[in-house]
Amino acid sequence: MSTFSLGNTSSAAAQSNTPGDISKDVVLTNPPEDSISDVAFSPTHDFLALASWDKQVRIYEISATGESKPQAKIDHEGPALTCCWSKDGTKVIGAGADKAARMLDLQSNATTQVAEHAQPIRCARFVEVNGAAGPILVTGSWDKTVKYWDLRQQQAIANLDCQERVYTLDSKNKLLVIGTADRYINIVNLDQPGKFYKTMQSPLKWQTRVVSCFTDASGFAVGSIEGRCAIQYVEEKDSSANFSFKCHRQTPPNTRDVANVFSVNAISFHPEHGTFSTAGSDGTFHFWDGNAKHRLKGYPEVGGSISATAFNRTGSIFAYAVSYDWHKGYAMNTPQLPNKLMLHPVQPDECKPRAKPVGKR
């Protein structure tokens, strides 16, 4: 796998090294009372779901000016670790340490349990499966399984046994990508959801924190605890385009050949441009153009670890949670740490792909 680094030889590179503006970012009102573990925007409206260690998933309405208003919530019996929306935006899923997934129907305001595992559920997504009469929910757990759920039935309709605990998963169109402990990555073609299409070791050397599918479902990005991100295509014919790069690292003053390395906690793809963000334990986020292997914009530290991110359906709002990410254990989670959700208004040029030089293809 190839790697790339950022240079400073062009005006575009110089512009990318100018810190982005976060002075107009808006703080969410009435945030959760404990660390935010996941954020997800509705695919149909500007509603935002937040999963938190305070045992709740909250839903907020976000106005065009960034004002927020709480709308509903899902109560759990343990920390909520993940949340997601149905494709039509009428249902919200919350799941977590209580080993159960619960669904809030926004039309009826009714909450029901729709899934369970033997261990905490770390991640959940709605997926597209051929022949299914209704929406299918997929859940990944620390019990080393991924399960498919028809919301009209009490039992899972299928399951996949993974090599290790499921830490992360994501889906786009017919692509499902599962990241587990011991750096395994399982790829599923949802036309054949009952088996792995491909299994591989992560191209990165250390523990996987996040996987995120490309907007065209041709591949995915991987983030790890080593301050590195990888771009990986599914098909072998595209493997020459695979690469990895360093990010979320800091060089201490007056030092050489030394870097403080931070975890990449979140990767989100822009819904229109296909560019993507990374965010990490160093408290910064960045926008990248993967095709050009170029950083579009980096932003200053926000005062605490960034634990989760999401773009809204149009890409005009970028939400990021400034919250303890538990990388130093429970003893380091003190009341002095920030716990807030910020809404960054995305300017037209912040996430646009880098323009190709004249005469280049």
Side-chain angles (χ1 to χ4, degrees), residues 307-331:
S307 58
T309 63
F311 285 102
N312 71 336
R313 69 190 193 282
T314 62
S316 61
I317 300 173
F318 178 70
Y320 59 95
V322 184
S323 191
Y324 185 55
D325 60 6
W326 301 93
H327 72 286
K328 292 184 178 181
Y330 74 92

Side-chain angles (χ1 to χ4, degrees), residues 84 93 95 99-101 113-127 129 135-151 154-162 166 169 176 178 188 190 193-194 196:
C84 67
I93 296 292
K99 309 174 188 177
Q113 182 174 327
V114 293
E116 63 179 356
H117 279 261
Q119 294 294 330
I121 299 173
R122 181 60 185 90
C123 34
R125 291 289 188 276
F126 279 97
V127 298
V129 176
I136 300 298
L137 175 70
V138 61
T139 52
S141 169
W142 292 343
D143 66 10
K144 306 181 184 180
T145 67
V146 168
K147 295 185 178 183
Y148 297 89
W149 305 87
D150 183 328
L151 301 182
Q154 292 185 344
Q155 302 298 320
I157 59 174
N159 69 277
L160 294 167
D161 292 325
C162 296
V166 177
L169 64 77
L176 173 66
I178 305 158
V188 178
L190 288 169
F196 296 140

Side-chain angles (χ1 to χ4, degrees), residues 248-250 262-263 279-286 301-302 304-306:
H248 302 283
R249 299 184 176 200
Q250 297 176 356
F262 297 87
S263 172
S281 296
D282 60 339
T284 70
F285 64 92
H286 305 263
E301 292 184 40
V302 296
S305 298
I306 300 178

Side-chain angles (χ1 to χ4, degrees), residues 62-122:
I62 309 299
S63 73
T65 58
E67 297 176 348
S68 51
K69 181 180 179 181
Q71 293 291 323
K73 66 178 180 177
I74 304 173
D75 291 315
H76 287 267
E77 297 175 3
L81 303 179
T82 186
C83 57
C84 67
W85 292 81
S86 61
K87 303 298 182 183
D88 63 2
T90 64
K91 300 173 179 64
V92 182
I93 296 292
D98 59 3
K99 309 174 188 177
R102 292 173 170 82
M103 180 181 71
L104 171 64
D105 187 322
L106 294 178
Q107 296 175 326
S108 66
N109 204 33
T111 300
T112 54
Q113 182 174 327
V114 293
E116 63 179 356
H117 279 261
Q119 294 294 330
I121 299 173
R122 181 60 185 90

Side-chain angles (χ1 to χ4, degrees), residues 271-297:
E272 293 186 4
H273 300 312
T275 52
F276 64 95
S277 65
T278 63
S281 296
D282 60 339
T284 70
F285 64 92
H286 305 263
F287 295 148
W288 308 86
D289 181 348
N291 291 330
K293 299 183 179 180
H294 176 75
R295 187 178 73 167
L296 297 169
K297 183 66 69 173

